[in-house]
Amino acid sequence: MTIHIDIARMRAPRVPSGVADAEWQGLGERFAAAHAAVRARIASGAYGFADLASQDAEHQRMRAWAATTQGRYDDIVVLGIGGSALGAVMLRTALLPYGWNERHGAQRGGAPRLHIVDNVDPRSMAGLFDLIELSRTLFLVISKSGGTAETMAQYLYVRHRLDEQGLPASHHIAVITDPVAGVLRPVADRDGLPCFSVPANVGGRFSLFTPVAMLPAALAGIDTAALRAGAAAMATDCASDVLDANPAGQFAVLQWRAHARAGQSTHVLMPYSDALRGLAPWFVQLWAESLGKQDADGVHTGPTPLAALGATDQHSQVQLFMEGPIDKTVTFVTERERPLDLPIPALPGAPEGTSYLQGRTMGTLLDAEQSATADALAEMGRPSMAVSVDRCDPWHVGALAMWLMQATVLAGELYRVNPTNQPGVELGKRLAHQALAASAGRNR
Amino acid sequence: MTIHIDIARMRAPRVPSGVADAEWQGLGERFAAAHAAVRARIASGAYGFADLASQDAEHQRMRAWAATTQGRYDDIVVLGIGGSALGAVMLRTALLPYGWNERHGAQRGGAPRLHIVDNVDPRSMAGLFDLIELSRTLFLVISKSGGTAETMAQYLYVRHRLDEQGLPASHHIAVITDPVAGVLRPVADRDGLPCFSVPANVGGRFSLFTPVAMLPAALAGIDTAALRAGAAAMATDCASDVLDANPAGQFAVLQWRAHARAGQSTHVLMPYSDALRGLAPWFVQLWAESLGKQDADGVHTGPTPLAALGATDQHSQVQLFMEGPIDKTVTFVTERERPLDLPIPALPGAPEGTSYLQGRTMGTLLDAEQSATADALAEMGRPSMAVSVDRCDPWHVGALAMWLMQATVLAGELYRVNPTNQPGVELGKRLAHQALAASAGRNR
């Protein structure tokens, strides 16, 4: 298996609200039906994210182009929001060394810094422009349709600043958008902007392995081929129609069942790893936006995903998880091997009560805290599952991401919703558009 | 009022599950009882956070000491977790310019960078040590009892590294701990480490205005006197026993009532401001750890706080808020005045469909999106309230923080829990301690 999954603490009698042996068989049948439906949708081309091979050519073209930019930029700036930003944030946190941008702040001509501007707050945008040298910066404008208000506002501002300084847009802006549709491609074609495609059948929150996140990653020197290889291995695991052998199936079925049969509607993702902390907000979008909607009967449904971080949140949210309502599941994500660990030294004159720490390592402490939290939750009757990867490298990060995307579309079947749309945000967009258009009228 | 609160979208008939006029009176009585109980507890000294005046002397001493360090350090490193870290993170995000650490990465002898190491992941700690020059670094070791495993492990590691390089701990470590109790104070006294106090009656998540967060803020040049002045003004507002005049009362009562009477157990805090985004995770700890526990009848209770960010999360969590189960409230936080805004320029050859944006500003777009989201939520039958500050400065950030702390202890009365303890995390700590102690035995 590409990843290791321990579901012992999702099971009864260990956790009273968990799945009893007798129920597991029925869940296997439920899974098999959902799995068959997902395979049919993949075969019909509805879930483009699962078909990595069809994106090979574009990936190669993108990598080749990224290689040509070497040494040309000190700063890479992602202009994107939601699915156009969260993947790059996750990869930056997981796969670039700690403090990457601080480390590279001083030098010029080395590895570029990577900024992700995922909002339209003028303070951040102005702060960013104070920080960068425009002539040494590449902006990635990421919007599938070109209809994203925030990203288009950013684009207009950046384009204006480039024009002001007489810098050619074709050297400073690359576009990632739909292969055919949308309003950005004509602009890119007209102005000679480098342009990369998000396949029409891949939505924003499923776009990690397209240039949306692969291009910023490649520009920062991350091995995108390894990311995609890990994802492909996971996609193979997830083709299994046996629940015990299908990691996405186990996650989807256990989370859905906890919600549907035990009222556990809040699904916490809690990496015990600073590097993997960005996986949680990325998962939050995937799970919330894919499943939170009206089901086939018109019922408002969907779990509430929650991002947490171990051990940090033991001093924040864990009190609630332990003693609050039994309405949550927790999924831990850990690393089995650490290429680097630090000793907790034995010190003469150390503070009282720290002898149990001395001579251990920080990694050991982190692991002990994760196990202890899982056991304590079980003791308090709260379900959890533990997922681990052999190590935190591009291959395994790719596998984790594909795992959660595959689980999401399976959960879509179980919740009986379409996991690829987001009809609920249209009204807000329309009202904002109207208000701005009206203010335009007033200003004239 | 120190802040502006709009509760129209928490009310029926605008939002069907909201508070009808007839119910408001009864809630006022409920509030009055809770308020009286809180005032009595404040008078008895149980809620030290509310008594800022008693902390004046220590604040002055701390400020004076911080002033003596000017120019001596390039890096300030907070070693703390939970309440010892989240406040500093919030203040750094809100009150230091965007990209502060990147901006100051190159220079030496200017304003120091501020790092907050809130975990024991060895990768982060090793990465930090690659980034800093030990002889130009000040570590703040923050633990009230000195019994926090993570912080003590960090302390042992840092102390060892200083010893190795022959750097005197008294020049590179300051301690923030209990005035009398705990294991850190004797070490500080023995070794001449600068030491500042968290009053015995102020718990970690209520410690923002103590040296826990004030010292890192002061060292980075933030005006801590203004922070405390805003908090004091808010504390005065919150002394009112009239619900309509008490901002903490309105928040506490409306959130509790939404949970108790409408099943809205998830409470989202959603600043529409990059600067205020750190307020949300700080609030999550406050609300989760204070209220998530067994109530006076032994019932497992407590709302689930959720952090969000506008406009960013319109492309992530908002789909769930709009169309998922009606089990959430949303509280928006916005800035009324922006000292800085950026135009969205009108551009020849701009992409189709962007004319409604051109000629507006980014601030206007952000504000329009917040209003539109609130209206759309109401249209879909989902309650929200909107809080705004005149501007994002130390005074108003201090006011916001005091507002949420006062609301939390009021909510403690309504939920009938003790908001200052966290009994549920003890079991996990004990199990981790046992596992580590046992591994020590095996290693011998």
Side-chain angles (χ1 to χ4, degrees), chain B residues 2-298:
Chain B
T2 44
I3 58 174
H4 312 275
I5 304 191
D6 177 0
I7 63 168
R9 293 179 194 78
M10 297 294 285
R11 303 291 299 267
R14 177 83 183 265
V15 170
S17 63
V19 183
D21 288 347
E23 195 185 352
W24 188 243
Q25 167 117 23
L27 287 175
E29 286 155 24
R30 191 82 195 221
F31 160 73
H35 179 72
V38 164
R39 301 314 294 175
R41 290 190 209 270
I42 290 176
S44 77
Y47 295 151
F49 76 89
D51 180 14
L52 291 169
S54 74
Q55 300 165 32
D56 280 347
E58 186 68 352
H59 181 246
Q60 289 310 327
R61 191 174 78 85
M62 181 211 90
R63 293 244 291 184
W65 182 79
T68 67
T69 69
Q70 226 175 353
R72 220 160 80 194
Y73 302 113
D74 296 322
D75 289 283
I76 308 295
V77 179
V78 171
L79 303 179
I81 193 164
S84 299
L86 287 159
V89 171
M90 178 200 4
L91 297 179
R92 177 176 67 178
T93 313
L95 299 170
L96 295 181
Y98 177 92
W100 176 263
N101 278 10
E102 293 177 50
R103 207 175 292 263
H104 293 283
Q107 66 185 67
R108 288 289 169 233
R113 298 187 292 193
L114 177 56
H115 311 271
I116 295 147
V117 187
D118 63 352
N119 204 355
V120 283
D121 192 315
R123 192 192 281 104
S124 310
M125 188 58 109
L128 175 72
F129 272 81
D130 282 350
L131 213 58
I132 61 177
E133 174 63 45
L134 209 50
S135 66
R136 299 275 306 158
T137 300
L138 174 67
F139 296 91
L140 306 181
V141 178
I142 308 181
S143 172
K144 206 171 158 191
S145 63
T148 314
E150 297 85 354
T151 308
M152 296 318 284
Q154 294 174 328
Y155 165 77
L156 290 169
Y157 181 75
V158 164
R159 184 82 196 240
H160 173 70
R161 291 289 298 254
L162 290 169
D163 288 352
E164 264 184 348
Q165 295 202 17
L167 294 165
S170 59
H171 291 190
H172 295 282
I173 295 180
V175 169
I176 300 168
T177 192
D178 190 274
V180 181
V183 301
L184 275 170
R185 188 161 287 271
V187 172
D189 288 347
R190 183 191 68 202
D191 297 343
L193 313 180
C195 193
F196 300 94
S197 293
V198 193
N201 62 353
V202 179
R205 56 190 176 272
F206 292 95
S207 67
L208 187 82
F209 296 107
T210 75
V212 166
M214 292 298 103
L215 183 54
L219 289 165
I222 292 170
D223 183 351
T224 55
L227 275 160
R228 297 177 84 245
M234 175 56 79
T236 302
D237 282 1
C238 297
S240 170
D241 58 4
V242 178
L243 181 53
D244 287 291
N246 187 316
Q250 290 181 42
F251 184 77
V253 164
L254 286 168
Q255 299 304 320
W256 167 78
R257 181 264 169 206
H259 187 176
R261 301 194 185 155
Q264 289 150 359
S265 60
T266 297
H267 299 165
V268 180
L269 192 75
M270 190 171 187
Y272 267 71
S273 158
D274 279 352
L276 294 173
R277 73 198 295 171
L279 189 67
W282 179 81
F283 163 74
V284 163
Q285 184 203 18
L286 195 59
W287 209 241
E289 206 169 43
S290 301
L291 305 177
K293 53 193 63 162
Q294 288 185 275
D295 72 11
D297 294 328

Side-chain angles (χ1 to χ4, degrees), chain A residues 118-119 121 123-124 150 190 274 285 292 300 304 306 310 312 315 319 323 328 335 349 360 369 424 440, chain B residues 118-119 121 123-124 150 190 274 285 292 300 304 306 312 315 319 323 328 335 349 360 369 422 424 440:
Chain A
D118 63 352
N119 204 355
D121 192 315
R123 192 191 282 106
S124 311
E150 297 85 354
R190 183 192 67 201
D274 278 352
Q285 184 202 18
H300 295 288
T304 297
L306 198 65
T312 307
H315 300 265
Q319 164 66 34
E323 284 204 326
K328 298 175 183 68
E335 308 167 39
R360 307 297 146 271
E369 298 211 70
Chain B
D118 63 352
N119 204 355
D121 192 315
R123 192 192 281 104
S124 310
E150 297 85 354
R190 183 191 68 202
D274 279 352
Q285 184 203 18
H300 295 287
T304 298
L306 198 64
T312 307
H315 300 265
Q319 164 67 35
E323 284 204 326
K328 297 176 183 68
E335 307 166 40
R360 307 300 145 268
E369 298 210 71
Q422 52 280 336

Side-chain angles (χ1 to χ4, degrees), chain A residues 316-371:
Chain A
S316 171
Q317 303 189 76
V318 167
Q319 164 66 34
L320 171 67
F321 303 165
M322 290 282 178
E323 284 204 326
I326 308 187
D327 62 357
K328 298 175 183 68
T329 65
V330 179
T331 300
F332 300 106
V333 185
T334 62
E335 308 167 39
R336 296 200 163 189
E337 298 162 17
R338 295 175 199 287
L340 184 154
D341 202 348
L342 293 182
I344 305 175
L347 223 62
E352 216 187 298
T354 58
S355 62
Y356 75 103
L357 295 168
Q358 298 178 41
R360 307 297 146 271
T361 68
M362 294 216 184
T364 312
L365 172 58
L366 198 57
D367 292 342
E369 298 211 70
Q370 187 275 317
S371 309

